[in-house]
Amino acid sequence: MKRIHVWSALIVVLALVLAACGTSATTTTAASTETTATTTATTAASGTTAAMMTPVEVTIGFTTSTTGKYNTESTRQVNGLQLWMNDVNNAGGIHLSDGSVITFKAVSYDDESTKDRVQELYTKLATSDNADFLISPYSSGLTAAAAVVAEQYGKVMITTGAADDATYEQGYTGVYQVYTPASKYLTSSIDLLHSLDMGATKIAFVYENSTFSTGVATAAQAYAEANGYDVVLFEGYDAGTTDFSAIINKVQASNPDAILGGGHFADGEALAKQLYEKQVPVKFVSLLVAPPEPLFSEIGDAAKGIAGPSQWEPQVKFTEEGAMANGSAWIGPTGDDFVSEYNAAYGEDPSYHAAGGYAAGLLLQYAIQQADSIDPDAIKAALDATNLTTFYGNLTFDTSADKHGLQIGHQMVVVQWTNDLTKEIVWPEAAATGTPIYPLGS
Amino acid sequence: MKRFTGLLVSLAAVVVLAVIPLITHKDSSMQSMFTILLGIALASSLNILLGYTGYVSFGHIVYFGIGGYVGFYTMAQLGQSLWIALLAGAAAAAVFSFLLGSAILRLRGAYFALATIGVNEAMKALVSNFDPFGGPIGMTLKVSFYKDYGGFSNIGWMSYRLLIVVTLAVVITSYLVKKSKFGLGLMAIREDEDAAEVMGVRAPSAKTWAYVLSAVFPALVGVLFFFKNSNIEPGDAFRLQLSIEMIVMVMLGGLGTVIGPILGAGAYQALRSTLLTVDKVKDVQLAVAGVLLLLIILFIPTGAIGWVRRRFPRLRRVLE
Amino acid sequence: MSFGELLGASLLDGLLIGFVYGVAAMGLTLIFGVMDVINLAHGPLIAIGMFFLYGLFTHFGMNPYLAIILVAFAGLLVGIIVYFAAVHRVINAPPLSSLLSTFSVNMIIIGVGTALLSTSAYNVDFKLSSLTIGSNITITGTRLMAAVVAIIVTALLYGFLYRTRAGKYIRAVSNNRQAAELMGIPSTRILALAFGIGTMLAMTAGALIATILPINILAGGTYELKSFVIVVLGGLGNPLGALAGGLVLGLIEGLVPVFMEATWVPVIEFGLFVLILLLMPNGLFGKKRGS
């Protein structure tokens, strides 16, 4: 019997010793895909003649929520980014005037949709992995944490999948937003409702208590009230809620014409499903994040007629001609090309999360071209001056001190699921591809 | 000097770990050492309650959260300095733990453990609904706030240095408690509370003071942690998982000793960071910790250091 | 929807899920009543039940309500294994040991579970038609069925405890283990059986939850916390109290949002929890046996 005590103790002591030896002062563990990344672009480039082509590999660091509650959205976002990286590398990289040829390499980790991991991992990316540029994780909450780290280590971070306005009011100088800000998410849905039914006056807001959705709901509430709507319910639910019965009962009792809100994919989907199961008599529902994802159709009948704001849809058409017409630059593939490439690579239609990922890459590519270097300060200056159109839409940044990096050029559309379970753009009218279903259930 | 060998060994262990980043000046080693010292400070403070007094607090992280929130509020909304925030956080934790302790320390064993979980969850839910603390969204400190502290890029190092001071303070306090009459009373309570009372130990007040002492240091650590992150949210401040990990760290190293929590925390946090980035294995870390804990509970409940002390009596003076 | 209808709907929804909560809590309280152990692996065991049902339904196409029978038997086995692995050696040790040993099982299950399944959400895509009462109150079919199954399970448990010999042995050991051993009852086997039944109840509750709501490996933790609140409400060691406590909790979750924001529900749940621990440690319904 004593033997087992000795063995157990030995195992424990051995484990402690091994662990202590493995402290991450320098560890490059038997990890996923990263090999050592070297980026000495500017120093390598200086002194070479224009005729010499020096290959330079630029490291882009980011985390993905391969697991956890954001995995649906984050996977698509990273797919988009990865597609861009393959495209630009296969096209031969970016040629700078000093002869360097920039190609890109990704270093990424799984953040498990949790903030503490994001903090640790982005610090690792910024320090021991020597990432030159950072791309944000998915979701405003995680991006806020990553932005702190990016700013602390002076790295330029392009955020995608993160709409919350608050991140750009903290005084950061190197964080740039690709998505339309949260404050604009539901305002277009209210406009749509107004155009469909002037008699609909009561709106219920039911939203997830995250920075993003709270920002959306608060702005939308102000907009609704300013336009004469009666906000009959304005209530948040805790992130991670799966049982919406109590809050749905409350919504039903407040007798709204429309329900606006939601949060991210998992809860939005559950909310839509449970609204359907409880047969809540409402005329219009617009939810965040979930409806624009093609995967939303998995809830079947519950998806029909549900609307949602989207950063981009395959049907929108931005072109190089259009860009020239309104005086902005153009880069990247057309929307159709993007859709077919994405389909070929991943076997499904891209959602706006994927488009946002690709657009983030395009933005970086454009900035490097404009700055003609990869020096962070030059890149920041180039980004500040950017007026760029891509298949994803226009990208222009607020450069004032108190909102630096906020996206001010990009517009959103509203999509809705039809009775055939396809997704159509229903707003703005100029971009619409289908007639809106109103009221719900018709 | 001979008398203090145990203390010096413990302090040396902390110092050796802590100076590595100061020498190398590398951000990545500062980050990992920060999490290690965090673990050491938390585990050592919990040890005062768990190790010496024998009361299992599953929700001890609540003081990390209370201190963090009050301190952060002091900086973000009241515009005060970090020093005032540290004081405020510690004071809040002290008051809260005193009041709460007087009530729940009457409970024994499992009931006490459950009550501490309830307190942590209730606090998290309450703060989530409390608008002055930012509700579910929490609070953030803008970049401009950090101008007086050497700029935004410097706050990591600054917090790190302060954390070293706090950690050393906890270790010294832990040692002093262990060697004092107060500590002896606590350990008597741990062995048999009724017998201790019969022997003249004023159990209720002793337990309460132990509880307060064990609550103040997590609060200080909390203020530093959130100062460094420039952001606080209910989910981050009251993470039950971290509370549980504190217990594991104490048990691994050896509860009731000064150096036990240091080694236990050091090893556990190091293991955790090492496994963090390895895709296949990163979640298994929790399972590995679970297996280690199970082995320890079943076969060596006094932890690694406890086992060493029993097996090698001559090392007792060195390994306090 | 009138206020009366709102109350009615909330009451119904709350009560129905309360039955399921009760089943989960009965498992926890049975184990405590019989062997004075608080099973901190309760949450992950519930999660295992959830995923087991998910697997049976999604990959084998089994009807969920039939699958629950399999889940229950699996629970019995799992419980017996956990007992011998983690609890048996520390059964007579101070409570800290069993708390920590069951907690380590919790960590192991979560660690392995997360590695295999990740913390993403899964949906059991099972639909039953909804039941509409009056013109405005709709109860989902799955929720109703879950409550029905929960009641059946409770009845079966009672039948077992009071009508079978094994049940009698369990009650005897629960009452006074030494006396039971003196009477010739094989206490180790009975303890293992009791732990197995407790786990069976936990996994069954998990399976029922999976038919109604989205699941993930960490969701068990939420139900574990709810179970703690319930067993304290109902009195540790009192299975009937646990069922009643489950209903009380379900009612709280259904009714509180009517009067204030739904986010206050955890504050009330846990505040009540701490208060009852402090003021009425025997719960609202009292413990069955003394000390």
Side-chain angles (χ1 to χ4, degrees), chain C residues 270-286:
Chain C
F270 293 109
L272 199 60
F273 176 63
V274 177
L275 273 176
I276 294 196
L277 270 175
L278 290 177
L279 301 174
M280 301 198 327
N282 288 332
L284 295 173
F285 303 98

Side-chain angles (χ1 to χ4, degrees), chain A residues 310-333:
Chain A
S310 167
Q311 297 277 353
W312 170 90
E313 289 296 316
Q315 300 103 314
V316 305
K317 300 279 179 266
F318 289 98
T319 60
E320 191 159 0
E321 293 72 36
M324 291 204 310
N326 56 36
S328 64
W330 171 271
I331 198 176

Side-chain angles (χ1 to χ4, degrees), chain C residues 2-40:
Chain C
S2 68
F3 186 72
E5 284 171 322
L6 173 61
L7 272 183
S10 311
L11 243 142
L12 271 172
D13 278 330
L15 272 177
L16 291 175
I17 197 122
F19 279 111
V20 180
Y21 291 161
V23 169
M26 277 195 291
L28 188 65
T29 210
L30 181 72
I31 293 176
F32 183 81
V34 174
M35 60 192 94
D36 251 327
V37 166
I38 294 199
N39 180 14
L40 289 180

Side-chain angles (χ1 to χ4, degrees), chain A residues 181-198:
Chain A
S183 48
K184 302 248 172 43
Y185 261 66
L186 282 176
T187 51
S188 42
S189 299
I190 295 176
D191 290 336
L192 170 60
L193 179 65
H194 186 77
S195 79
L196 287 171
D197 182 357
M198 301 263 278

Side-chain angles (χ1 to χ4, degrees), chain B residues 56 58 103-104 107 110-111 114-115 117-118 121-122 125-126 129 244 247 251 283 286-287 289-291 294 297-299, chain C residues 38 40 85-86 89 96-97 100-101 103-104 107-108 110-111 114-115 225 228 236 263-264 266-267 270 273-274 277-278 287:
Chain B
V56 191
F58 269 94
I104 67 173
L107 301 171
Y111 291 91
L114 287 183
I117 297 180
E121 295 301 308
L126 188 64
N129 281 298
I244 308 295
I247 298 183
M251 295 301 295
D283 299 304
L286 199 58
V291 170
L294 188 60
I297 295 296
L298 293 180
F299 303 117
Chain C
I38 294 199
L40 289 180
R89 262 188 76 92
L96 172 61
S97 305
L100 290 174
S101 71
F103 191 73
S104 60
M107 291 165 79
I108 294 172
I110 296 279
T114 312
L225 288 172
F228 287 157
L236 273 161
T263 47
W264 281 96
V267 183
F270 293 109
F273 176 63
V274 177
L277 270 175
L278 290 177
K287 263 194 333 187

